[in-house]
Amino acid sequence: MPKKRHQKQYSKPQSTAPASLSSSTAASRHNSHNDDQQQNRSVNELLADLRRAGLRDGGSSQIRPAEAFVQPTVPPAIRQILQLPETPAPPPRRPVRVDATGRRLPPGPAPPRSWVSRPAGSGLYSDPRTLIEFGGAQNYAQRPLPGMILPAKGSLMDLVLKGFARTWDWQVEYCRYILYELPTRVRGALLAYIGLYSEKGLTLQDMRAILLPPPPVVYEDDEDSHYEQERHGEFLPPGVVNDDFSCLDLSWSLGRSLKIRELSDFLYPPQAAAVVSTADPKDSWDAPDDEPTLEPSIPAALLPNLTHLSLALDPEHAHNVSWRHLLSFATHMPNLTHLSLAFWPEPSLTPNAKLATMLTAQGQVVQYGATGPYSHSLDNDWTEAIMVLNRLSKSLYRLEHLDLTGCGLWASALWSKSGHDMVDWVGAWGKVERIVMYAGYKLGEEAGSSERARYEMVTENARRVERHVRGRRAEKGMGKRGIVVETDEEGKE
């Protein structure tokens, strides 16, 4: 077959290059030649060019960074002889950012205000804000104890802790190995929020997860298990980590999910017997072993520096607490200065025996308990309440702040006298400077006359307590040590 012939579609290119291409080629050759010359120049020549450029731009205020490093520093006399320009001053240093207390802040932009905002006033706690809503008293604003550091309402920390407390059942499993290493103020606030916003309240297991080191993780592999055991030993003991833990807020948990007896055993463990061998040296290896002796060891308190404690109750669970257990618990806290007993029932060691009677050997029917159904209303007998409060005052002799919100119905025990016994506001509780005696609820618009009279009686009882304490201290020459009683009359919101 004949071969197919293809005709060329393009003509032969020009033998001479275009003018634009020739000019760009020449420029590239010139630039490459200059680059070769610059590369062949020595370091001294480059420095000399930089010095000459600096002399030419000596009058300009803008100095390039490279010139600041190559300009030499010479004595002033030689600079005048050589007619060298003045060496520019170094740029000013950035001012050091400090906070309100003078502490140096970390580098970087300032955090948002909501992250670091603290309540106004003393910087420790804010003005009265709603923390607890007690049953029917939906408008009552619970006031935290002075000195308790709680996040401001609506801040980022407040929102995070609320969400953390509402999902606590999941968080305690997922974050169990980091809760113990949180800052003290965060752990204290977390305990308070769990009691307020958790469905079941704060339990003893929750306190163990926050105040005690986590248990070691046990894997099936022996090597990993040994590694976790060693890692568990790296945690500091609770007495060291909780050394600055001074505020404990258990509001709304006591009587609902927490008992005073188990709380006392947890914070102040009972004395454990230490094994001590006091046997004499043996004369022979075959001699029988002597039994070691047991000596009681001093228990280590979990919170050795606890000074602020809130045991505020939910009125619906007030019948689940015992003054007898509180008196036993108070013996371990002589350093307590701030205490909240909001919504506690009237002081009594046998509250369930108010209607009980017993038959004596002579056949007489007598009252079983110290307080009967008509002891307060008809007889005005507060003997048992005065006795309980006196025992409490002897244990808490450093108390300065006492919160008795919702306790206005038994406030008569604070000034009543039974024989020669009465609450000692001069000796044991002579340091008390402030008593909080709010009614614990707000009157509605449709409140009747009886409800209003009861509300006014609570306010009047608070004023009578203030007059009584001031009079007692004035009689003993302690008039300068005054007292302030807060009540709804001056603290309406």
Side-chain angles (χ1 to χ4, degrees):
M1 292 181 62
K3 295 182 179 180
K4 295 182 180 181
R5 300 182 181 274
H6 299 279
Q7 296 182 357
K8 298 180 179 180
Q9 299 179 358
Y10 303 100
S11 60
K12 184 178 180 180
Q14 299 179 4
S15 58
T16 59
S20 60
L21 181 60
S22 61
S23 60
S24 61
T25 304
S28 62
R29 290 178 180 177
H30 179 70
N31 294 336
S32 62
H33 180 68
N34 293 338
D35 294 341
D36 294 339
Q37 289 182 352
Q38 291 180 0
Q39 292 180 359
N40 295 332
R41 297 172 65 185
S42 63
V43 177
N44 295 332
E45 294 177 352
L46 294 175
L47 293 177
D49 291 343
L50 291 174
R51 293 191 185 95
R52 287 193 294 269
L55 292 175
R56 288 195 301 268
D57 301 338
S60 62
S61 59
Q62 299 292 336
I63 300 177
R64 292 184 295 271
E67 298 174 2
F69 289 101
V70 299
Q71 288 185 357
T73 302
V74 295
I78 299 178
R79 185 185 299 112
Q80 294 178 359
I81 295 174
L82 299 179
Q83 297 181 356
L84 296 177
E86 293 289 340
T87 303
R93 298 181 60 182
R94 295 182 58 184
V96 179
R97 296 190 305 114
V98 295
D99 58 4
T101 60
R103 184 179 57 181
R104 186 172 182 176
L105 297 176
R113 292 183 178 180
S114 60
W115 291 19
V116 296
S117 63
R118 284 189 177 182
S122 61
L124 296 177
Y125 70 104
S126 62
D127 293 336
R129 67 182 183 88
T130 301
L131 280 182
I132 305 176
E133 295 178 352
F134 293 100
Q138 297 293 333
N139 297 326
Y140 171 67
Q142 172 70 7
R143 292 158 177 81
L145 291 177
M148 285 192 173
I149 301 178
L150 296 176
K153 186 178 179 180
S155 63
L156 177 63
M157 183 62 72
D158 177 58
L159 299 177
V160 169
L161 290 179
K162 283 182 181 178
F164 212 89
R166 287 166 180 156
T167 58
W168 175 247
D169 292 338
W170 182 84
Q171 298 287 354
V172 69
E173 295 293 336
Y174 186 78
C175 306
R176 65 168 63 183
Y177 295 102
I178 62 176
L179 294 175
Y180 182 67
E181 297 180 339
L182 292 175
T184 301
R185 58 184 180 85
V186 178
R187 290 188 296 155
L190 181 59
L191 288 172
Y193 274 71
I194 294 174
L196 299 178
Y197 301 104
S198 179
E199 294 182 359
K200 59 181 181 180
L202 183 67
T203 62
L204 189 64
Q205 289 73 17
D206 301 335
M207 297 186 66
R208 291 181 182 274
I210 297 176
L211 299 178
L212 293 180
V217 180
V218 179
Y219 295 100
E220 296 181 358
D221 191 359
D222 295 340
E223 296 181 358
D224 293 340
S225 177
H226 179 67
Y227 170 75
E228 288 296 335
Q229 292 286 348
E230 291 181 352
R231 180 180 178 274
H232 175 65
E234 296 178 358
F235 290 106
L236 295 175
V240 177
V241 177
N242 302 324
D243 183 65
D244 56 346
F245 205 109
S246 60
C247 302
L248 182 60
D249 191 349
L250 302 179
S251 300
W252 225 13
S253 295
L254 207 62
R256 182 166 67 109
S257 57
L258 195 62
K259 297 181 180 179
I260 299 181
R261 180 177 296 178
E262 62 182 11
L263 176 65
S264 177
D265 295 339
F266 173 66
L267 296 180
Y268 304 96
Q271 290 186 352
V275 179
V276 180
S277 178
T278 58
D280 297 333
K282 300 179 181 180
D283 297 334
S284 174
W285 291 102
D286 298 334
D289 296 335
D290 298 332
E291 294 183 359
T293 60
L294 300 179
E295 293 184 0
S297 60
I298 301 176
L302 184 62
L303 305 178
N305 297 321
L306 182 64
T307 57
H308 296 62
L309 178 62
S310 177
L311 302 178
L313 302 179
D314 180 5
E316 297 181 357
H317 302 275
H319 60 280
N320 295 329
V321 297
S322 171
W323 280 91
R324 187 186 302 273
H325 296 162
L326 177 62
L327 294 177
S328 177
F329 181 41
T331 58
H332 302 288
M333 302 180 294
N335 296 328
L336 203 65
T337 59
H338 294 66
L339 176 64
S340 175
L341 297 178
F343 296 98
W344 271 68
E346 63 181 60
S348 176
L349 299 180
T350 56
N352 298 328
K354 183 175 291 187
L355 302 177
T357 58
M358 61 179 296
L359 186 65
T360 63
Q362 291 77 18
Q364 297 179 353
V365 178
V366 296
Q367 186 176 316
Y368 180 80
T371 302
Y374 305 106
S375 297
H376 303 331
S377 58
L378 297 181
D379 302 334
N380 196 22
D381 183 10
W382 298 90
T383 304
E384 185 180 16
I386 293 173
M387 182 265 297
V388 173
L389 293 177
N390 276 332
R391 289 180 56 183
L392 183 64
S393 65
K394 292 179 181 179
S395 299
L396 306 179
Y397 52 85
R398 294 187 179 179
L399 203 63
E400 301 176 2
H401 180 100
L402 182 60
D403 189 353
L404 297 178
T405 298
C407 303
L409 296 181
W410 54 268
S412 300
L414 301 176
W415 72 75
S416 297
K417 187 175 182 181
S418 176
H420 298 284
D421 295 334
M422 60 189 314
V423 179
D424 189 5
W425 294 106
V426 178
W429 275 355
K431 296 182 179 179
V432 176
E433 300 176 352
R434 183 175 297 272
I435 302 177
V436 181
M437 294 188 64
Y438 290 95
Y441 61 95
K442 296 296 183 182
L443 286 176
E445 297 180 356
E446 301 179 356
S449 58
S450 59
E451 296 181 359
R452 294 185 180 276
R454 183 181 179 182
Y455 189 85
E456 294 176 358
M457 182 189 67
V458 173
T459 304
E460 178 60 27
N461 288 343
R463 289 288 167 243
R464 189 169 179 179
V465 170
E466 184 176 10
R467 293 193 298 267
H468 171 75
V469 176
R470 289 182 177 178
R472 289 288 299 169
R473 292 180 178 179
E475 292 176 0
K476 301 296 181 178
M478 301 172 57
K480 295 183 179 180
R481 185 175 295 179
I483 189 170
V484 177
V485 179
E486 294 183 9
T487 185
D488 293 274
E489 191 176 25
E490 62 182 25
K492 292 182 179 181
E493 299 177 1

